[in-house]
Amino acid sequence: MNVKDQQKTVATAEYFPDGSITRIIFSNFLTYEYVEIFPGPNLNVIVGPNGTGKSTIMCGLCLAVGGTPRLLGRSELLADYIKHGSEKGSVEVFIRDSKLGKDRALSIVLHRVGGSNYFVDGEKVTQTKLRDIAESYNIQIDNPCTFLAQDKVKSFAEQKSFGLLANTEKAVGKKLVDLHENIHNVRLNQSPISRTKCLEDQLNSVQSELKTLVPLIENYRRRETMREHIRLLQCKKLYLKYLEEEAIAEEKAQYKRLKEEELEEV
């Protein structure tokens, strides 16, 4: 697909739901001098050899929507993301917004000296404001279930079970988070009698399950005992086979010695 076709696709609103990234512009950012990327409306996969700039795209996306270098696991200094030899770099991300009737532009401009600036549709804003706008499109840059930089993969595995559940719910959408919170509140607001009844029902359920499991456990133990018995018998069989072969070898050796003695006498 050439650039004109890509731009035509981007301009077709029905292809992209609100919150979709339709275009990314890199200027003097890490390995890129100037690059425009036009993601498709569905799943996008970026492939290429090592060192071709795949991670650069992820870094740019993170910073352009208000993320911090800490989320990338790389340098904490924003100036380090400027292409070598340049004094300024930038990343601009366009997000589909059907209510506005246009794509919203979020961007970061990095300066080698003097800090960095954030913009929304060309208007200078604070990082917090830009991040709030990004989050309004359900862009959760600090959720490892939705954004996971290459150098931060370890952090995903280090999540506690509760944190993983919470982040997964956030990734699915606010409705699921609200539903979970409502269920939690209902449990908290239950009367002591209701909670007692609930616990009794849970206890009865567990006891019933245990009754079902007991025969299975006994069968498992018998099976393991039989397996161990079979293993021992197999070992004994091998040992008896060894003794038999050893006896045959000894008998052959004696027969050989006897014949040798007879030959010497002759």
Side-chain angles (χ1 to χ4, degrees):
M1 182 183 290
N2 58 40
V3 173
K4 288 185 178 180
D5 291 336
Q6 289 174 326
Q7 291 173 334
K8 184 178 180 181
T9 301
V10 170
T12 308
E14 59 265 27
Y15 282 103
F16 291 87
D18 286 346
S20 299
I21 295 175
T22 60
R23 185 183 179 194
I24 314 167
I25 301 176
F26 297 90
S27 178
N28 293 324
F29 185 81
L30 289 177
T31 57
Y32 295 148
E33 183 175 350
Y34 184 86
V35 172
E36 289 190 49
I37 298 176
F38 297 88
N42 300 306
L43 175 66
N44 292 270
V45 180
I46 303 170
V47 297
N50 290 338
T52 54
K54 300 186 298 296
S55 297
T56 297
I57 297 174
M58 302 303 294
C59 292
L61 280 173
C62 176
L63 299 180
V65 297
T68 63
R70 176 182 56 82
L71 298 172
L72 301 172
R74 295 191 173 192
S75 173
E76 293 284 339
L77 300 176
L78 287 172
D80 290 342
Y81 293 85
I82 301 173
K83 183 177 175 62
H84 181 70
S86 301
E87 293 300 316
K88 183 175 75 171
S90 66
V91 181
E92 190 169 20
V93 175
F94 293 83
I95 300 174
R96 178 53 44 89
D97 190 327
S98 60
K99 294 180 181 179
L100 291 178
K102 64 174 184 177
D103 291 349
R104 200 157 202 185
L106 310 183
S107 62
I108 181 173
V109 178
L110 310 168
H111 298 277
R112 188 76 66 182
V113 179
S116 301
N117 303 117
Y118 298 90
F119 297 86
V120 175
D121 294 330
E123 179 183 350
K124 189 175 180 180
V125 297
T126 64
Q127 181 182 10
T128 302
K129 176 67 175 177
L130 181 137
R131 187 158 180 167
D132 289 342
I133 292 174
E135 289 180 353
S136 70
Y137 295 104
N138 200 29
I139 296 176
Q140 304 169 28
I141 201 64
D142 58 349
N143 185 346
C145 290
T146 59
F147 179 86
L148 188 61
Q150 178 179 338
D151 297 313
K152 296 289 287 185
V153 172
K154 183 181 177 183
S155 65
F156 183 86
E158 291 175 345
Q159 292 184 98
K160 301 296 183 181
S161 56
F162 180 80
L164 180 59
L165 173 62
N167 286 329
T168 302
E169 289 178 346
K170 290 178 183 178
V172 173
K174 190 174 183 299
K175 288 184 178 180
L176 185 58
V177 176
D178 292 341
L179 177 61
H180 188 170
E181 187 174 345
N182 289 337
I183 293 173
H184 180 67
N185 291 334
V186 168
R187 294 290 298 274
L188 289 177
N189 294 328
Q190 281 183 329
S191 66
I193 296 176
S194 298
R195 285 202 293 270
T196 301
K197 180 65 169 60
C198 181
L199 290 174
E200 288 177 349
D201 291 341
Q202 291 179 3
L203 177 60
N204 292 333
S205 176
V206 171
Q207 288 176 338
S208 176
E209 187 175 357
L210 283 174
K211 289 180 181 179
T212 305
L213 291 175
V214 166
L216 297 176
I217 294 172
E218 291 177 351
N219 288 337
Y220 171 78
R221 288 174 176 170
R222 283 197 296 269
R223 185 167 62 251
E224 290 302 307
T225 300
M226 293 177 65
R227 283 180 177 174
E228 179 63 16
H229 185 60
I230 291 172
R231 188 187 68 81
L232 291 174
L233 289 176
Q234 289 174 337
C235 291
K236 289 180 179 180
K237 180 181 177 181
L238 290 173
Y239 182 65
L240 291 174
K241 181 69 174 176
Y242 165 75
L243 292 178
E244 182 181 352
E245 294 293 334
E246 187 180 41
I248 293 173
E250 180 62 25
E251 185 178 343
K252 288 181 178 179
Q254 290 179 357
Y255 180 78
K256 181 180 178 182
R257 286 196 298 270
L258 181 61
K259 290 299 181 181
E260 288 175 348
E261 290 174 358
E262 290 178 353
L263 287 173
E264 289 177 357
E265 291 177 358
V266 172

